[in-house]
Amino acid sequence: MTAVATRAPAARRSASWLLTVILAGQFMAILDVSIVNVAAPTMRADLGAGGSALQLVISGYTIAYAMLLITGARLGGLLGYRRLFLTGLVVFTAASLLCGLAPSTGPLIAFRLLQGAGAALMVPQVLSLIQLSFDGASRARALGVYATVISVGAVVGQVLGGLLVTADLFGTAWRPVFLVNVPIGLVLLVAGARLLPSGHVRREQGLDLPGLVTLSLAVSLLVVPLVLGHEESWPLWGWISMGGSVALFGAFLLVERRARHPLVPGHLLRTPGLTAAAAGIFLVMVAYGGYLFSMALHLQSGLGDSPLRAGCLFIPAAAGFGLTSLNWKRLPARLHRPLIVTAAVVTALGELALAAILASGGHGEPLLEIAFAVIGIGMAGTFSPLMAVALAQVAPAEAPDASGLMAMMLQLGQVVGVAAFGTLFLSLTPSAHAITVTEVGLAATSLVAGVCALPLLRRR
């Protein structure tokens, strides 16, 4: 009895260290999206980057990230989650160093793509390890911490990016926003090599190369014209490209039906609530990505805030997101699914309020911070329960594929959000109404996310 009692706390400590290490990797990957948002105006001035190049610096990371996430999850199952997590971490850390040393915009975009590829190998292992290492209430708590890390990472990135850009260490301007990943990555490599468990290999599944190529082309043909369209005055090739993207998404579905080892197994999509939750998560992240990008540019370029002040203004949003993510499970179980739709409406109301506050051309404080907090609360109340619903019915054997699908929806949503709403905002700039119109569009997107979740209300 004593030995059993001794092993239980030891097992809990081991699980806690596992969660700490993998979520630190997740934190770094999220940090690298938002920290670059704050540095965007400084990079534009220092490198002479146009709007499209700037969006590629920001979106290039998430384009590669989103396209390769499901393959990263499958490789984790084939080769081991520990090995893939550490391999992705090495690539991510090395690419961060190269980004910080990039001499011009072109190499910076290329290194951001490499950085995204590293993140795509590392991040899917996080949800897979949570799915396989935790169950019941402990899994729900781990997913709550996971959601909190996403929000805190976003805002820490805004604040840290502001601090580093404002400090202009040794005249390096924006470069420390990438170089800061290097020491963090090295520490995680040492800790991960010692603490992450080996095993969890599923050699019965292989790679779906036709599916990977088809999906990658479909995503690229959609996102690249969205990113470059404004700068190039919406050329014909952009519209052809987006039409081709639709055709390739259809082709992807056909390829997957015939694939021996499909990227997204059909029986996985039949898991109760998974498809509706995935669609909702995608749209929540579209709104999230568009909100961060457009507001970072508006606060600095439109209202003249320093990067540090702009980053600090996002703290209420992070606090609302984090507190909601950690505490929504305290509500009675019968309210968990209705919370998703209610929170989507709250998010939309917060975004409409923000549009009204900014319509006058100023900050509108303290109403600005209140609106940010409401948006953070609403997004967490939608995202966290959706993630729990999406993964609750997934069998442990399907964890890698489900994790890859959810991670792809999460990251692809951010790519589309930055591309679509970044394009909308930049197209309307310098009009005073650019941010107002953008926020109204974000509110509509949040409402559609709530509509996608309506089928979940019929499930018990």
Side-chain angles (χ1 to χ4, degrees), residues 121-294:
L121 296 178
M122 175 177 64
V123 169
Q125 319 319 322
V126 174
L127 276 175
S128 293
L129 285 167
I130 289 175
Q131 282 287 95
L132 293 169
S133 304
F134 299 88
D135 54 23
S138 63
R139 179 188 291 178
R141 285 193 296 271
L143 288 173
V145 178
Y146 170 85
T148 302
V149 163
I150 289 176
S151 68
V152 171
V155 175
V156 168
Q158 300 281 352
V159 176
L160 182 59
L163 282 170
L164 292 173
V165 172
T166 301
D168 192 18
L169 300 170
F170 308 106
T172 53
W174 50 270
R175 296 181 186 276
V177 304
F178 296 110
L179 297 176
V180 71
N181 291 327
V182 178
I184 298 174
L186 292 175
V187 169
L188 287 181
L189 279 170
V190 174
R194 290 173 60 89
L195 297 170
L196 293 183
S198 57
H200 298 303
V201 176
R202 301 167 65 209
R203 300 194 185 279
E204 73 277 6
Q205 290 198 334
L207 284 177
D208 175 21
L209 290 178
L212 171 62
V213 171
T214 307
L215 181 60
S216 299
L217 286 174
V219 172
S220 300
L221 289 177
L222 172 65
V223 174
V224 171
L226 284 175
V227 171
L228 299 179
H230 168 66
E231 198 76 8
E232 300 293 330
S233 300
W234 298 105
L236 178 62
W237 66 261
W239 297 105
I240 294 174
S241 176
M242 286 187 282
S245 172
V246 174
L248 278 175
F249 275 117
F252 171 71
L253 296 177
L254 295 176
V255 168
E256 290 298 277
R257 285 184 180 179
R258 300 180 179 180
R260 183 179 178 186
H261 303 293
L263 287 177
V264 185
H267 63 271
L268 180 65
L269 295 179
R270 291 190 291 274
T271 301
L274 184 68
T275 303
I281 286 170
F282 172 79
L283 289 169
V284 169
M285 299 314 294
V286 167
Y288 172 82
Y291 162 72
L292 285 182
F293 182 76
S294 60

Side-chain angles (χ1 to χ4, degrees), residues 43-125:
M43 284 191 288
R44 171 187 277 178
D46 187 50
L47 297 174
S52 58
L54 189 67
Q55 285 187 318
L56 281 173
V57 169
I58 293 172
S59 294
Y61 172 79
T62 41
I63 288 170
Y65 196 178
M67 288 191 305
L68 299 175
L69 273 166
I70 285 186
T71 297
R74 180 62 57 82
L75 286 173
L78 284 168
L79 303 176
Y81 305 131
R82 177 182 185 273
R83 180 182 297 177
L84 262 292
F85 183 92
L86 295 177
T87 300
L89 185 56
V90 168
V91 174
F92 181 93
T93 304
S96 296
L97 177 62
L98 292 171
C99 286
L101 301 177
S104 60
T105 305
L108 179 58
I109 293 171
F111 296 145
R112 284 286 279 171
L113 289 168
L114 179 63
Q115 198 180 33
L121 296 178
M122 175 177 64
V123 169
Q125 319 319 322

